[in-house]
Amino acid sequence: MDDANDTGTTGATVVRLPVNKHDQPGDSDQSGEAGAVSGRVLTAAEYARMFSQREQAFARWRGYRDDAVWLARTLRRLAADDRTKFVARNAWYVPVGAGVVVRRVWEAKTNSRYERMMRAAEAAGDFEAVADWEQRAEQARQRRHQRVMDWITNPVQFAKTAAVSVGTSVGALLGLGVAMAVSEHDASQVGDPLMAAAAVVHGAALAVEATWEPAVAAAPWLTVAWLWNEGRRRGTGVPGWLAAPAEEGADTHMVVTADTIVLALQHLKIPELKKAFKDGWVPTFDPQPVRDGRGYHTVFTLPLGVTAEMVADLRAVLARNLHRAEIEVWPADADKTGTGKAGSVDLWVADAGAISRNAPEYPLLHEGTADVFTGVPAGVSPRGDAITVPVVANNFVGGGQMGQGKSNACRVVMLGAALDPLAQLDVFVFANNGDFDSYAPRLARYRKGVDDETAAAALARLHELYAEVGRRENRLAELGAKKVTRGLAEQHRDLRPIVALFSECHELFSHRDFGEQAAEVATKTAKRARKAAITLMFDTQSSRKEAIPPKLVELVSVNACFYVKTWRSNDGFLGDGSFAAGIRATELRPGRDRGTSLITGVSDAPFELLRWYFVEVDDDTGYDAAADVIARAMAQVDPATPVEATTDPVKVENRDLLDDLDEVLGTERVRLADVPALLRDLAPAWGPYLALTGAQLRERLTELGVKTTNKGNVPRLDPADLRRVVAEKATADLDDDE
């Protein structure tokens, strides 16, 4: 009872304990179930004794685990928060800036910088540079020694100078006081200048005393701000997860610096390069990585035993280490490119995604002329530089997989040539497409198709061009000239430049009857045509010898290769050894790099990555942006330049839109979108019809008072409405005559 009363008054906890029925008094009932279990109330002390320390330890561990999980989740949320990153990033700038300052001071006070440069020059095998850095290091040691000696002698010299200066100043002030006393006949003024000077010194001391404490208090904060700025400018020491988010439209990938290039080189699997880094070698950059168009450019040295070709062979890994696509990183031998010494690498790294951007608008789309003697606009390099393709004194081969842009490339070159008033243009297309239909008015010869007649016409033209080369060679000899220039072409009509394109030429060179002969004549013409102002152009899908003769490709100076699958195709279009030299169109990305090619012969560089201008064409509507340019070219062409398969000057005639519509339309209502094609069939050389669209035609008809309908959102024209207006016009003309 006493225990019960005590327990009741202290509010002890009732705990149910596990019970073994064999330990309980009494018998089991007949059903086999255990009898009642006796219980008692435990005090806190008894509870603590009953539970083992192990179970209490497990309970504590579970509590600690829950606390740790909560803490980890909280820290993770904080770490992912932009505000936390902002604070941590700016706090990190301070130690980074301190490290920059310490390194800067250390290099300024020691020879570590010179020793590092000597090791780099020695590893690169540039012993001339080693001697130069040794001389600089010795000069730096002498300057430091002189500064130490100055610190020893300067205090004595300073004391002497200060004593002399004070004595001179006091004497001058006393002299001034004597002069004032004599002038005023007042001896008390002798000390006035000295007292005034003392007052000035006292005031300066008070000012320093007043500002000293705030300056001391602000000094740590100013120091932190300075270190923060140095760390922010340095930037490379900040962890990636703390990096500031990139601005919209900015390059979100790694900025190319000397440090990032060194880091990328350290992870290339070149044993000699790894050993050089381990021995303390670091590359020398001249120039340092700088912005160059839409990318970065630099030239850096290599250690002994490592060549630029070895780095170029690992371009995929180098690009990965620089966080770029393989096509965006271009290492080359600086000695061959003319940008650096032998044993150096010329490296250009594009901004991420720069190569995939569309080229600008064709520069001659709305105005301007071209000169085939200096080159025609073709496109832009990844740097953003405009690239022209030389025409006269060159030949052209373009190739690549279907749908990658080779036909557009030929259209661009021929469109530029069409804007030269002197150029005579021939086009043979061995396919049933309309790529050059809009060019027809400007062409002297135009044939298309896959029939034998087209192949025979092309072969005949090749024979004519070969004969023309011989005639021009004799003509140049008569004139005492070595080659056709623009001046000669302007003076002599029989020396006008000729540009002949053979598109999808695999159909010609693989022809069972004409192919072998065509290959022979084309090769012979290309060998001799350079000085005669006759240019041959070829495009094809295949680089096999049946598609285009290898001897012809070797003679061509301008080679353009769009995406191809194999190195054999690459060398077939760009020349033997191109793939081994790093000129690899296989690294272009099909579809994504459509309209981009590797091209040779357009600059001093071994090759250029060219994004071609695009001359818009719509196969569904028949729209071709080249039509307007051709119309402008027809207005500018020289009267002696052959066009429309004739040597006669182009005769421009006036046409009436309503009369032409009356002629081409029947009696049934037609869609306006179908009418411009009928007009072009009627008058293929008439400029206003070349680029006419259905919407433009509707606006013109409305101006002329012709009614159009719009049934089902499809504009239509009823010939009866047209002929009513034509009749009214004819009647009005008769009334005017009366």
Side-chain angles (χ1 to χ4, degrees), residues 290-298 348-351 382-385:
V290 294
R291 289 292 295 173
D292 182 15
R294 297 187 179 94
Y296 302 85
H297 176 257
T298 187
W348 190 80
V349 182
D351 292 339
R383 293 177 170 88
D385 300 331

Side-chain angles (χ1 to χ4, degrees), residues 358-400:
N358 294 329
E361 183 181 74
Y362 181 63
L364 301 179
L365 187 62
H366 304 295
E367 60 181 359
T369 60
D371 183 355
V372 294
F373 287 88
T374 59
V376 298
V380 296
S381 70
R383 293 177 170 88
D385 300 331
I387 293 179
T388 60
V389 168
V391 179
V392 172
N394 293 273
N395 296 294
F396 175 91
V397 165

Side-chain angles (χ1 to χ4, degrees), residues 260-276:
T260 57
I261 293 175
V262 170
L263 184 63
L265 293 174
Q266 289 173 339
H267 288 80
L268 292 183
K269 293 183 178 180
I270 302 177
E272 295 84 356
L273 186 60
K274 286 185 172 293
K275 183 178 183 301

Side-chain angles (χ1 to χ4, degrees), residues 213-434:
E213 290 186 2
V216 171
W221 301 105
L222 294 175
T223 302
V224 169
W226 175 53
L227 296 177
W228 173 87
N229 185 58
E230 291 293 330
R232 182 180 60 85
R233 290 172 55 191
R234 177 76 172 179
T236 56
V238 178
W241 69 276
L242 289 180
E247 297 180 1
E248 185 177 354
D251 182 8
T252 58
H253 293 257
M254 182 182 293
V255 176
V256 178
T257 65
D259 290 340
T260 57
I261 293 175
V262 170
L263 184 63
L265 293 174
Q266 289 173 339
H267 288 80
L268 292 183
K269 293 183 178 180
I270 302 177
E272 295 84 356
L273 186 60
K274 286 185 172 293
K275 183 178 183 301
F277 276 117
K278 186 176 180 180
D279 294 340
W281 173 85
V282 291
T284 300
F285 292 85
D286 185 20
Q288 290 283 327
V290 294
R291 289 292 295 173
D292 182 15
R294 297 187 179 94
Y296 302 85
H297 176 257
T298 187
V299 176
F300 59 87
T301 59
L302 290 174
L304 295 175
V306 182
T307 65
E309 288 75 13
M310 295 169 68
V311 176
D313 288 340
L314 294 175
R315 183 155 65 111
V317 181
L318 181 63
R320 163 64 187 87
N321 296 344
L322 291 172
H323 294 259
R324 293 295 194 274
E326 185 174 357
I327 196 175
E328 296 169 343
V329 177
W330 295 95
D333 191 325
D335 183 45
K336 294 181 180 179
T337 60
T339 56
K341 300 179 181 179
S344 299
V345 174
D346 180 281
L347 178 65
W348 190 80
V349 182
D351 292 339
I355 294 176
S356 300
R357 300 173 188 171
N358 294 329
E361 183 181 74
Y362 181 63
L364 301 179
L365 187 62
H366 304 295
E367 60 181 359
T369 60
D371 183 355
V372 294
F373 287 88
T374 59
V376 298
V380 296
S381 70
R383 293 177 170 88
D385 300 331
I387 293 179
T388 60
V389 168
V391 179
V392 172
N394 293 273
N395 296 294
F396 175 91
V397 165
Q401 290 285 303
M402 292 185 295
Q404 297 305 306
K406 62 182 182 297
S407 296
N408 174 72
C410 292
R411 279 167 48 87
V412 169
V413 175
M414 293 301 290
L415 194 60
L419 288 170
D420 187 330
L422 302 182
Q424 175 182 334
L425 309 181
D426 301 337
V427 172
F428 295 86
V429 181
F430 303 98
N432 288 315
N433 60 51

Side-chain angles (χ1 to χ4, degrees), residues 19 29 53 122 158 193 239 254 279 288 339 360 374 384 393 423 484 488 527 554 576 579 603 672 674 686 732:
V19 178
D29 58 14
Q53 293 182 354
E122 184 177 7
F158 177 77
M254 182 182 293
D279 294 340
Q288 290 283 327
T339 56
T374 59
V484 177
L488 286 176
K527 286 180 179 179
E554 292 176 0
D576 289 342
F579 187 88
S603 69
L672 279 176
D674 298 334
W686 181 237

